[in-house]
Amino acid sequence: MDIDLPPEDAAFRDEVRTFLAAHLPEPVRAGAAASPTVFVEPEIGQAWNAVLNDKGWLGYQWPEAHGGTGWSPLRRYIFEKECALAGAPNLTVLGLKLVAPVIWTFGTEAQKAFYLPRILSGEDYWCQGFSEPGSGSDLASLQCRAVWDGQQYVLNGSKMWTTHAHHANRMFCLVRTDASAKKQAGISFLLIDMNQPGISVRPILTVAGDHEVNQVFLEDVVVPAQDLVGDEGQGWTIAKFLLENERGGSCHAPKLIYDLDQLTKAATGESDGRGGTMAQDTHWQRRAARARLGVQALEMIELKIISELAQGRKPGPQTSLAKLLASNLRQEIDLLAVDLYGPAGLQLELARPLYGDNAPEPVHSRDAQLAAPRYLNSRAWTIFGGTNEVQANIIARSVLGLGG
């Protein structure tokens, strides 16, 4: 939706648009458009990061004191929206938006001085070591153990669903440092060098065929004392801080609006979709309209979060509501794409076993070919960052006053 911006913020929006038109490389835009996954490959994402870093805009959510722009929450929203509408790739959220705020909030001066510039320069590429084979939604039950041997921590265990661990040279990790304490109290937050003996990465191929996530095995991995963030046993507090940033630190509505607009154009024959056949399908059009209303509601919630941040208040459970809605809408819009393109979106060699000699000719369209993989990949949206059930419980307890 259009919102009335103060003149200075409207001028900033125009500046961002002009910059994107001139400096978003076409190979980067095309690479983002061709990616079926949440995280684009590093050669795409890091190329865009470098452009923004040269401009001084990469740390757009960062305080000026730590190398960021110091922009207001509204300007951060404007920037994210214009990037989404221009087709820019998602930024490398694990370093820029998750571990960086942890480091400048809980880290030592030495950690800030060492790690923050390396995140902006792209010298460090991060992955997140939270979930384990038996600890997903019940993250506090994690068993990866870190033992202090008098000089350093020695880690043993494994981490699951670790996004881009096969690319990363650093991992921020939750580990159990005190097995005798209450499970939340015995957890610490460590920064790990991935380029050392004892670390092995096993790929996990998703149902969409993507290699985006991995299982990471840690065998006698060494972490020096200076890479403990905060105090020992403070990991649960830090994790809650990080997860709140993950759920509410970005605006999802602009990207969802962009994707829905592209589908609408395809359905009405304005692009290379199915020649407008869905323009007369009232059921599909009704679902698309319902999704658009949902996205507009999500944008209002995200703007409310921005307003809270602008007034120096933490948005709290509103971030869970935004995460819940964004996840469901992402899946609904991706399902609309599958229904729009149908079997014509399949590669011909994949369609023949299903349809025999009557297999449709493939649509030579990037969007058509990506519809099914994106839909399959987006099944993870209602799981990562806290499942829908976890978000619903937070909302019921914190907003509605239900439960124990």
Side-chain angles (χ1 to χ4, degrees):
M1 65 187 68
D2 293 327
I3 58 174
D4 292 329
L5 296 172
E8 61 274 17
D9 291 317
F12 171 74
R13 178 199 58 201
D14 294 341
E15 180 187 1
V16 173
R17 286 180 180 174
T18 300
F19 174 80
L20 289 168
H23 297 286
L24 175 57
E26 186 53 38
V28 169
R29 189 199 313 268
S35 175
T37 61
V38 176
F39 297 94
V40 296
E41 291 298 296
E43 59 265 28
I44 301 168
Q46 295 294 77
W48 179 228
N49 284 12
V51 172
L52 291 178
N53 195 37
D54 288 343
K55 177 67 173 175
W57 285 359
L58 182 57
Y60 74 96
Q61 291 188 319
W62 293 28
E64 286 184 274
H66 301 304
T69 62
W71 286 344
S72 68
L74 179 57
R75 291 204 171 188
R76 296 199 298 263
Y77 165 79
I78 292 169
F79 177 74
E80 285 198 358
K81 183 169 185 175
E82 294 304 321
C83 284
L85 297 180
N90 294 328
L91 296 179
T92 49
V93 60
L94 296 169
L96 287 168
K97 297 183 180 181
L98 297 189
V99 75
V102 164
I103 290 172
W104 76 58
T105 302
F106 298 94
T108 64
E109 293 303 315
Q111 288 170 342
K112 297 172 194 178
F114 181 76
Y115 285 113
L116 295 178
R118 292 166 65 96
I119 293 173
L120 291 175
S121 70
E123 189 173 353
D124 283 343
Y125 193 84
W126 290 82
C127 63
Q128 174 176 314
F130 275 25
S131 294
E132 297 181 6
S135 302
S137 295
D138 182 17
L139 186 57
S141 67
L142 65 87
Q143 296 299 312
C144 183
R145 187 77 187 275
V147 177
W148 179 252
D149 71 356
Q151 296 181 315
Q152 59 205 3
Y153 291 100
V154 180
L155 276 61
N156 283 279
S158 71
K159 294 294 178 177
M160 197 74 165
W161 314 119
T162 313
T163 301
H164 280 202
H166 53 305
H167 298 303
N169 68 317
R170 301 279 178 184
M171 174 193 282
F172 56 94
C173 192
L174 290 179
V175 297
R176 187 160 300 283
T177 47
D178 186 351
S180 64
K182 179 183 175 182
K183 62 181 183 179
Q184 285 91 346
I187 295 172
S188 299
F189 194 103
L190 298 179
L191 308 177
I192 300 173
D193 180 358
M194 294 283 285
N195 297 323
Q196 63 172 298
I199 296 180
S200 56
V201 178
R202 179 182 299 171
I204 300 173
L205 299 183
T206 69
V207 67
D210 307 312
H211 179 197
E212 189 176 22
V213 295
N214 307 270
Q215 184 170 6
V216 179
F217 296 89
L218 307 156
E219 300 179 28
D220 294 330
V221 169
V222 171
V223 178
Q226 62 263 29
D227 283 332
L228 168 70
V229 179
D231 297 326
E232 188 172 296
Q234 196 181 8
W236 190 248
T237 298
I238 297 174
K240 289 191 295 183
F241 169 85
L242 183 147
L243 288 170
E244 188 170 290
N245 282 339
E246 181 177 10
R247 292 164 187 162
S250 297
C251 292
H252 298 291
K255 173 61 175 165
L256 295 170
I257 291 169
Y258 175 82
D259 289 346
L260 197 52
D261 285 345
Q262 300 309 302
L263 287 180
T264 301
K265 290 178 182 178
T268 56
E270 295 180 38
S271 66
D272 61 348
R274 297 186 62 193
T277 58
M278 283 297 182
Q280 289 78 41
D281 188 315
T282 56
H283 178 61
W284 190 92
Q285 292 291 341
R286 190 179 301 113
R287 288 167 53 207
R290 187 167 58 242
R292 189 171 295 279
L293 291 173
V295 173
Q296 290 173 348
L298 172 64
E299 188 170 26
M300 287 300 298
I301 293 169
E302 291 180 337
L303 287 170
K304 176 64 174 174
I305 291 172
I306 288 167
S307 175
E308 294 286 314
L309 292 171
Q311 297 175 63
R313 296 197 295 262
K314 298 181 96 175
Q318 291 179 77
T319 61
S320 288
L321 182 57
K323 167 64 169 64
L324 181 68
L325 290 175
S327 298
N328 291 338
L329 287 164
R330 176 76 274 164
Q331 292 180 351
E332 175 59 24
I333 290 170
D334 288 342
L335 181 56
L336 283 168
V338 170
D339 292 342
L340 170 65
Y341 294 110
L346 295 173
Q347 294 281 359
L348 187 56
E349 61 269 21
L350 296 179
R352 279 209 173 97
L354 298 175
Y355 295 92
D357 293 337
N358 295 319
E361 287 298 316
V363 175
H364 296 289
S365 159
R366 178 197 63 219
D367 294 333
Q369 299 290 347
L370 287 170
R374 279 182 173 162
Y375 169 74
L376 292 172
N377 184 274
S378 73
R379 307 318 295 164
W381 269 76
T382 49
I383 301 173
F384 64 61
T387 66
N388 272 18
E389 292 79 10
V390 167
Q391 308 309 326
N393 283 339
I394 291 172
I395 294 165
R397 184 172 58 250
S398 302
V399 179
L400 303 178
L402 303 176

